[in-house]
């Protein structure tokens, strides 16, 4: 029996493309009925394959006429027209300051990702049920399975991608994770091609360093599209129903770290990377968090960091609407569970790895943290959805803002300064070495 490779099958892509087309403003009710009839056929037959292929052509025709391209541009000039880009003055810092902040980002991203790994794919009620059973709700430490009843562990098994290795009692380093692979890939892009790198340079690094099955959703489709001869931005748009999901958002960090206090530069780097696999709101997620991480070098208040990041996002986009919605909530005044309930009510229609809902949750957690690293990463993981990616993003922003010296040892010491990776040449890297290499290419004036 041939093992199924996720995210690439035509039925899977059609199912998600119907949802994506609806999000883009199209009425797909009739098309859904048509697909339900086709899907009921024996999927091993030639008849099914032919009818599915013809049907996918209809969905592609819808995509070419997307209704929201004008208010949600993917091209650089279009983004510039609807946002507040300006020239970044090159700041002055000591080398020690920059390296401490960047190391804080690498460590914070690792710790937040590690916290969320065991319960990735577990729905929010399941996370609460698991942690309540052993009196570790609300979260305040790495997740443990000690004293969790066996029947609950069968109901909500740990994430098969290093979930067990990420439990408190088993942690010996940062395990392999796609959320951590991408900062390393982007570091290699900068080291090899410099600030003038192109999207084609990024895909070249993917091809030489990144195993295809270490990619997911939009990245996997973009990878295979390139293997089939397509170039960016077609790698992002051809039969890629995941083009506004979270994959680009998790690739933002390196661009912010190498652009201390220069969010405009970070945002442009992020766009060049994101367009390889994403469009519109998928791109905006990477731009936003790259700009936020860059801004974290110069602000002490999280509200200032996030408000500046928002200025780089097209103002009429759904992403901007989501950020403003979070800004309107009394996040610091109300119970965290109440905030998450509101976010699920507002954004629960999206897939659990979509950009918009996860960005909203991460932003709310950052606001709730009031600069407290532990509170930020624990809140976002308790919020569910893409737990390891959101933990990584929140941990990165807070880690960069605080710097390595201010991060709590309870979260950092278990990493043992080591990270595993499926990337060629990066397995068993030291986080301090990665941070030093990042700091070496960061642009700033030395005091």
């Amino acid at each position: 029996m041939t093992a199924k490779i996720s995210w690439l099958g035509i039925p899977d892509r059609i199912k998600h493309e119907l949802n994506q087309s609806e999000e883009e403003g199209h009425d797909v009710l009739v098309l859904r009925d048509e697909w339900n009839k086709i899907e009921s056929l024996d999927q091993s037959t030639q008849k099914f394959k032919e009818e599915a292929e013809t049907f996918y052509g209809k969905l592609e025709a819808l995509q070419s006429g997307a209704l929201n391209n004008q208010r949600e541009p993917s091209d650089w000039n279009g983004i510039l027209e609807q946002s507040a880009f300006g020239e970044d003055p090159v700041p002055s810092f000591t080398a020690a300051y920059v390296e401490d902040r960047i190391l804080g980002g690498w460590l914070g991203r690792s710790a937040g990702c590690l916290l969320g790994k065991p319960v990735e794919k577990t729905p929010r009620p399941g996370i609460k049920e698991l942690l309540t059973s052993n009196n570790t709700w609300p979260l305040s430490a790495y997740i443990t399975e000690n004293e969790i009843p066996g029947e609950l562990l069968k109901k909500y098994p740990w994430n098969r991608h290093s979930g067990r290795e990420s439990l408190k009692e088993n942690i010996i380093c940062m395990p392999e994770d796609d959320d951590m692979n991408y900062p390393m890939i982007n570091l290699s892009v900068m080291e090899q091609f410099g600030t003038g790198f192109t999207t084609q340079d990024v895909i070249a690094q993917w091809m030489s360093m990144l195993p295809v099955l270490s990619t997911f959703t939009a990245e996997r489709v973009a990878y295979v599209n390139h293997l089939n001869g397509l170039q960016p931005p077609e790698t992002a748009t051809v039969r890629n129903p995941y083009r506004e999901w979270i994959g680009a958002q998790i690739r933002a960090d390196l661009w912010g770290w190498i652009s201390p206090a220069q969010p405009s530069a970070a945002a442009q780097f992020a766009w060049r990377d994101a367009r390889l696999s994403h469009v519109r709101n998928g791109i905006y997620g990477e731009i936003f968090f790259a700009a936020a991480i860059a801004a974290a070098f110069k602000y002490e208040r999280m509200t200032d960091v996030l408000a500046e990041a928002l200025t780089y996002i097209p103002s009429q986009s759904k992403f901007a609407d989501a950020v403003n919605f979070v800004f309107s909530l009394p996040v610091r005044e109300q119970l965290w569970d109440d905030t998450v309930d509101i976010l699920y009510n507002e954004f629960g229609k999206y897939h659990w790895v979509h950009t918009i809902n996860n960005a909203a949750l991460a932003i709310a957690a950052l606001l709730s943290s009031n600069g407290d690293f532990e509170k930020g990463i624990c809140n976002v993981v308790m919020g569910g959805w893409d737990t390891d990616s959101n933990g990584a993003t929140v941990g990165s922003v807070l880690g960069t803002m605080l710097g390595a010296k201010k991060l709590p040892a309870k979260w950092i010491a278990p990493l043992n300064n080591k990270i595993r990776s499926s990337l060629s040449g990066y397995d068993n890297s030291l986080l301090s070495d990665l941070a030093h290499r990042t700091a070496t290419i960061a642009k700033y004036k030395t005091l």
Side-chain angles (χ1 to χ4, degrees):
M1 181 178 178
T2 304
K4 178 184 175 183
I5 298 178
S6 301
W7 311 114
L8 297 179
I10 292 296
D12 285 343
R13 287 203 245 188
I14 286 175
K15 177 182 71 173
H16 293 301
E17 186 61 59
L18 283 164
N19 293 334
Q20 175 66 24
S21 294
E22 191 168 47
E23 289 168 15
E24 291 174 349
H26 296 287
D27 183 350
V28 297
L29 184 61
V30 173
L31 286 169
R32 285 189 188 279
D33 289 341
E34 182 179 349
W35 174 241
N36 288 338
K37 293 175 183 177
I38 296 171
E39 197 175 23
S40 67
L41 299 172
D42 183 344
Q43 297 190 11
S44 66
T45 64
Q46 187 63 27
K47 177 179 174 61
F48 171 78
K49 294 175 183 177
E50 290 174 355
E51 292 202 19
E53 186 67 27
T54 299
F55 182 81
Y56 211 144
K58 294 181 181 180
L59 292 180
E60 289 177 301
L62 282 184
Q63 184 185 336
S64 65
L67 302 177
N68 53 2
N69 283 335
Q70 187 170 359
R71 65 182 179 85
E72 294 186 337
S74 300
D75 65 291
W76 185 243
N77 287 336
I79 292 172
L80 287 178
E81 289 173 3
Q82 293 194 34
S83 54
F85 275 77
E87 288 296 320
D88 293 312
V90 179
S92 297
F93 297 117
T94 65
Y97 173 89
V98 170
E99 187 150 349
D100 179 62
R101 293 300 189 97
I102 291 174
L103 178 57
W106 277 101
L107 292 170
R109 182 165 183 80
S110 299
C113 182
L114 188 58
L115 176 63
K117 276 180 75 67
V119 291
E120 185 186 15
K121 303 183 183 72
T122 302
R124 179 188 172 207
I127 296 172
K128 187 170 186 178
E129 190 175 356
L130 281 167
L131 302 183
T132 300
S133 74
N134 67 351
N135 296 312
T136 59
W137 181 277
L139 264 178
S140 61
Y142 286 116
I143 293 171
T144 175
E145 75 173 13
N146 291 339
E147 300 182 14
I148 295 180
E151 61 269 20
L152 265 187
L153 293 175
K154 290 180 181 178
K155 183 179 179 181
Y156 301 114
W158 305 123
N159 178 22
R160 64 186 181 89
H161 293 292
S162 303
R164 181 163 292 282
E165 294 92 321
S166 304
L167 296 172
K168 183 178 181 179
E169 52 271 25
N170 300 328
I171 296 170
I172 57 173
C173 65
M174 177 62 219
E176 190 273 342
D177 193 275
D178 62 320
D179 293 280
M180 299 308 302
N181 279 343
Y182 288 114
M184 290 186 269
I185 287 180
N186 291 339
L187 175 60
S188 75
V189 169
M190 284 298 303
E191 289 178 331
Q192 183 160 340
F193 301 104
T195 57
F197 78 89
T198 66
T199 311
Q200 285 75 10
D201 295 329
V202 177
I203 190 63
Q205 292 301 93
W206 286 22
M207 293 293 114
S208 64
M209 297 175 60
L210 179 62
V212 65
L213 294 185
S214 291
T215 63
F216 302 92
T217 64
E219 283 72 20
R220 186 171 293 181
V221 174
Y223 195 119
V224 171
N225 277 346
H226 188 65
L227 289 176
N228 288 330
L230 296 178
Q231 299 296 326
E234 285 76 20
T235 46
T237 57
V238 174
R239 297 200 170 187
N240 189 350
Y242 321 112
R243 55 191 178 269
E244 294 191 75
W245 288 19
I246 201 174
Q249 188 163 286
I250 69 173
R251 311 202 307 258
D253 303 64
L254 194 283
W255 315 126
W257 293 332
I258 64 169
S259 310
Q262 299 156 88
S264 288
Q268 184 168 4
F269 294 148
W271 174 80
R272 290 187 220 162
D273 179 53
R275 67 191 288 267
L276 169 57
S277 53
H278 286 73
V279 301
R280 294 185 295 273
N281 296 285
I283 290 175
Y284 308 153
E286 183 164 356
I287 288 176
F288 181 89
F289 284 105
I293 289 167
F297 284 86
K298 65 175 178 175
Y299 292 120
E300 295 183 358
R301 296 195 314 164
M302 188 59 68
T303 52
D304 294 331
V305 168
L306 300 174
E308 176 145 347
L310 180 58
T311 66
Y312 298 95
I313 303 302
S315 58
Q316 300 179 56
S317 64
K318 290 193 288 290
F319 190 98
D321 289 345
V323 177
N324 283 314
F325 179 82
V326 177
F327 285 174
S328 74
L329 300 177
V331 173
R332 291 181 181 172
E333 289 75 37
Q334 64 189 7
L335 294 174
W336 175 242
D337 268 356
D338 291 343
T339 296
V340 179
D341 286 342
I342 292 169
L343 296 179
Y344 270 66
N345 183 64
E346 184 72 13
F347 303 113
K349 64 182 178 181
Y350 292 109
H351 192 277
W352 69 272
V353 289
H354 199 282
T355 296
I356 290 175
N357 51 342
N358 286 287
L361 181 60
I363 291 164
L366 287 167
L367 290 171
S368 76
S369 74
N370 201 27
D372 184 316
F373 180 80
E374 179 174 304
K375 187 173 183 180
I377 62 172
C378 288
N379 276 356
V380 82
V381 169
M382 288 190 294
W385 285 328
D386 197 346
T387 52
D388 65 331
S389 295
N390 292 335
T393 294
V394 170
S396 180
V397 177
L398 283 166
T400 304
M401 173 177 274
L402 295 167
K405 293 176 182 176
K406 293 184 179 179
L407 292 179
K410 68 181 281 190
W411 294 104
I412 303 311
L415 300 171
N416 288 311
N417 194 30
K418 189 171 79 171
I419 185 168
R420 303 300 307 274
S421 179
S422 56
L423 299 180
S424 174
Y426 280 79
D427 194 25
N428 289 308
S429 290
L430 298 181
L431 290 162
S432 57
D433 286 349
L434 295 171
H436 180 71
R437 287 164 60 183
T438 306
T440 298
I441 57 177
K443 181 183 177 183
Y444 63 99
K445 295 177 184 176
T446 306
L447 287 172

